[in-house]
């Protein structure tokens, strides 16, 4: 009886996990579709030439930023 209960619990957990994964995948596909549909203009809309700075709260991201490893990571080849 315990083995059967464990199998049903595993099946239910797997079904819930699969449903969550499907929802995330659909959301990602919609976001990619909307971004490609407007050629990314909406992402840069709040950014002006003056607001593209290292510390800018108007821009959702900094397109001029150069990403480097943190000092505590050491030299990574």
């Amino acid at each position: 009886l315990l083995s059967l209960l464990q199998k049903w619990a595993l099946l239910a957990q797997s079904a819930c996990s699969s449903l969550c994964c499907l929802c995330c995948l659909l959301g990602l596909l919609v976001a990619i579709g909307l971004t490609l549909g407007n050629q990314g203009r909406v992402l840069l809309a709040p950014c002006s030439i003056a607001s593209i700075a290292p510390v800018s709260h108007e821009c959702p991201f900094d397109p001029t930023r150069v990403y480097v490893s943190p000092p505590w990571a050491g030299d990574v080849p």
Side-chain angles (χ1 to χ4, degrees):
L1 180 67
L2 184 61
S3 176
L4 183 63
L5 185 62
Q6 287 176 339
K7 287 180 182 179
W8 278 108
L10 182 62
L11 180 66
Q13 188 176 15
S14 176
C16 289
S17 177
S18 296
L19 185 62
C20 287
C21 181
L22 181 64
C23 289
C24 289
L25 182 63
L26 289 175
L28 180 63
L29 289 176
V30 167
I32 290 172
L34 289 174
T35 301
L36 292 177
N38 60 33
Q39 286 89 29
R41 289 186 302 268
V42 174
L43 291 174
L44 292 174
C47 303
S48 65
I49 299 300
S51 70
I52 297 179
V55 180
S56 173
H57 300 291
E58 291 82 22
C59 212
F61 63 94
D62 184 8
T64 62
R65 181 178 171 114
V66 176
Y67 293 94
V68 295
S69 297
W72 51 264
D75 293 330
V76 179

